[in-house]
Amino acid sequence: MIDGNTQSRVIEDVRTAARALPPGSRLPSVRELMARHRASPVTVQRALAQLAGEGLVVPRPGRGTFVAERSEPAVDAGLPRAPDLDWQEIALADRPPLPAASLDQLLAVGPPGAIALTGGYLAPELQPLAALGSALGRAARRPETWGRLAVEGLEPLRAWFAREAGGHLRGHDVVICSGGQAALSTTFRALSAPGEPVLVESPTYLGAIAALRAAGLRPVPVPTDEHGVRPELLAGAFALTGARVFYCQPLHANPTGATLSEDRREAVLEVVAAAGAFLIEDDWARDLRIDGEAPAPLAADDPDGHVVYVRSLTKSAAPGLRVAAVSARGAAGARLKDARIIDDFFVSGPLQHATLELVSAPAWRRHLRGLRVELRVRRDALVAALGEHLPSWELANVPAGGLHVWVRLPDGTDDVALTARAAAAGVLVSPGRPWFAAEPPAPHLRLTFAGAPANELAEGVRRLAGVAG
């Protein structure tokens, strides 16, 4: 406590002198300050370091401490004036804000005590943290981990992603990206030019909508039902818009949880091929299957390179494992590689090596088996609670995997206002409106079952019922 008081006296003494002297003036030496304040050399050095951090003084080893140049004129109180940032409104006037507000709300961390029925990641207790730590430790000890990698990424990791996709993809078709969102942004920009239409399912992942609009592209909605996108409407959208790209989540779509039915898979691929278009397959939930076996990716049934395949590990591992892959053949693959070079050269070597260590270890398969069991418990608890407390809300399907359920609200409900009331009651949900690229046909909520244990999910729904009106 005494050292703290002494340091404060030294700081005030030097600050007063620095404000009174012109820039470049020499200030009292360390020895002078030690004698004047009966301070230790460590205390004086700390005081000067703090003032240097404030930009008030400049220490010059061997010469002393000097008054720093002033970038702002002083006012009567001796303090720099408040920054004037109003000029930025004019400079940015013809540049519309990036469409990130909905994503920012989705990623926001709730207040203590709130029950999270929103979010896009596993709760900490579901993440393979021990296996991740071990994988990162093993990777970090190898010198090659810290070296420069190929732009496409670590070759064995690319080969792993290609094997997981199956079909015609090979390791040389794969480019490693910094998470699924980065992979989507890169893919949209590589395959489309600003102003062009891109077909999307309706509703669809709001991060894809934001990435498309940020790239100057026009998302065009194509209606879906509990069996996925409707092929006849997809064909009509291609004919009407002339689009050459369709963004699709065939497995446990976010937010609806729907999986493209077996009888529609071939039809969708035929529509895309007839349009001479690309289908961007976002296979984000491949590792999050709950019931039965998941169908193969559409990429596995695509001999001619129409499907551009995106796969992320972040959702099934941890938010900090920002590793994904995008796979494409032919000229599309070359464009994706070029886009990655422009973005950030290559993904961090330690992260890629750690990811390879993780997915190659027996602990990874054990994690996925345990995760499947726990996600089933949580999904069933959420669905049961909705049936008990909110029976008038319509659940189109109980998803066989993923992290979310999609609930239709009674007609006339304001989903955004309901979300605000729920937050005030200590439960966080996601309104349905941002998940549509155009006007929503009805009010919805997206509810997540991966962010809280079963008992908290039930309590969250009880609170939600209390403000549902």
Side-chain angles (χ1 to χ4, degrees):
M1 189 70 176
I2 294 175
D3 286 345
N5 288 337
T6 304
Q7 182 173 321
S8 296
R9 290 200 305 272
V10 174
I11 288 172
E12 287 308 310
D13 185 8
V14 177
R15 181 180 280 132
T16 300
R19 286 175 177 161
L21 295 170
S25 300
R26 183 190 295 273
L27 292 164
S29 67
V30 171
R31 250 180 220 183
E32 289 178 70
L33 293 170
M34 288 170 58
R36 186 183 303 175
H37 297 283
R38 297 183 181 179
S40 70
V42 173
T43 298
V44 173
Q45 293 289 0
R46 284 176 179 167
L48 294 176
Q50 180 173 326
L51 292 168
E54 294 175 7
L56 195 60
V57 305
V58 179
R60 293 174 182 162
R63 297 178 56 194
T65 304
F66 298 82
V67 179
E69 295 292 329
R70 296 187 179 97
S71 57
E72 297 285 352
V75 296
D76 291 343
L79 298 174
R81 67 169 176 82
D84 180 4
L85 305 180
D86 290 346
W87 65 270
Q88 294 187 9
E89 291 189 39
I90 299 172
L92 297 172
D94 61 346
R95 296 167 178 82
L98 292 176
S102 296
L103 275 176
D104 187 51
Q105 294 170 11
L106 191 66
L107 295 172
V109 177
I115 296 175
L117 299 186
T118 187
Y121 302 109
L122 299 176
E125 66 270 15
L126 299 183
Q127 299 168 18
L129 299 180
L132 275 168
S134 298
L136 188 58
R138 291 193 300 271
R141 287 192 290 271
R142 296 197 299 269
E144 64 270 21
T145 295
W146 304 93
R148 188 179 69 181
L149 294 178
V151 170
E152 302 93 327
L154 190 64
E155 193 280 329
L157 183 59
R158 292 159 55 206
W160 182 86
F161 274 109
R163 288 194 302 274
E164 287 283 300
H168 304 270
L169 292 173
R170 299 294 180 265
H172 59 261
D173 301 316
V174 179
V175 177
I176 304 298
C177 301
S178 302
Q181 187 67 24
L184 291 179
S185 296
T186 296
T187 304
F188 292 149
R189 289 186 289 104
L191 300 183
S192 304
E196 290 184 349
V198 173
L199 305 185
V200 299
E201 296 166 303
S202 183
T204 192
Y205 170 47
L206 62 83
I209 296 173
L212 286 167
R213 289 176 173 158
L217 300 167
R218 295 189 293 113
V220 177
V222 182
T224 62
D225 57 24
E226 66 272 23
H227 303 297
V229 70
R230 296 173 56 184
E232 75 281 7
L233 296 180
L234 179 64
F238 273 122
L240 179 66
T241 65
R244 289 294 177 266
V245 175
F246 169 46
Y247 167 71
C248 180
Q249 302 172 86
L251 184 65
H252 313 317
N254 181 12
T256 65
T259 292
L260 187 64
S261 61
E262 185 65 32
D263 62 318
R264 290 186 183 181
R265 288 170 59 94
E266 184 177 355
V268 167
L269 288 173
E270 287 177 352
V271 167
V272 171
F278 292 102
L279 185 156
I280 300 173
E281 180 177 11
D282 184 355
D283 202 17
W284 71 278
R286 175 63 44 183
D287 295 322
L288 303 174
R289 185 71 172 184
I290 296 174
D291 301 327
E293 295 302 315
L298 292 179
D301 299 324
D302 169 46
D304 299 322
H306 288 280
V307 177
V308 176
Y309 182 70
V310 177
R311 170 85 180 274
S312 171
L313 290 172
T314 305
K315 302 295 187 183
S316 53
L321 193 72
R322 306 298 304 169
V323 171
V326 55
S327 307
R329 290 176 289 145
R335 290 198 180 194
L336 286 166
K337 176 183 173 182
D338 291 345
R340 290 300 304 150
I341 294 174
I342 294 169
D343 283 346
D344 58 5
F345 294 167
F346 55 85
V347 176
S348 160
L351 201 55
Q352 291 195 55
H353 280 277
T355 300
L356 181 62
E357 287 279 351
L358 176 68
V359 299
S360 301
W364 177 245
R365 290 296 167 190
R366 288 197 299 271
H367 161 66
L368 294 181
R369 288 194 295 270
L371 180 61
R372 181 175 185 143
V373 172
E374 186 57 33
L375 288 179
R376 180 182 293 113
V377 170
R378 297 186 182 206
R379 178 203 61 186
D380 292 349
L382 178 59
V383 171
L386 288 168
E388 178 182 354
H389 297 291
L390 291 163
S392 64
W393 290 13
E394 181 183 340
L395 191 64
N397 69 90
V398 176
L403 304 174
H404 319 288
V405 297
W406 184 241
V407 183
R408 175 168 176 166
L409 306 176
D411 290 342
T413 303
D414 186 330
D415 57 325
V416 175
L418 175 57
T419 298
R421 295 198 302 272
V427 57
L428 308 178
V429 300
S430 177
R433 204 170 306 177
W435 304 86
F436 291 90
E439 295 82 357
H444 292 80
L445 288 183
R446 191 200 71 165
L447 304 178
T448 300
F449 52 80
N455 62 316
E456 290 189 15
L457 293 172
E459 171 60 18
V461 173
R462 189 190 67 77
R463 294 184 192 181
L464 193 55
V467 298

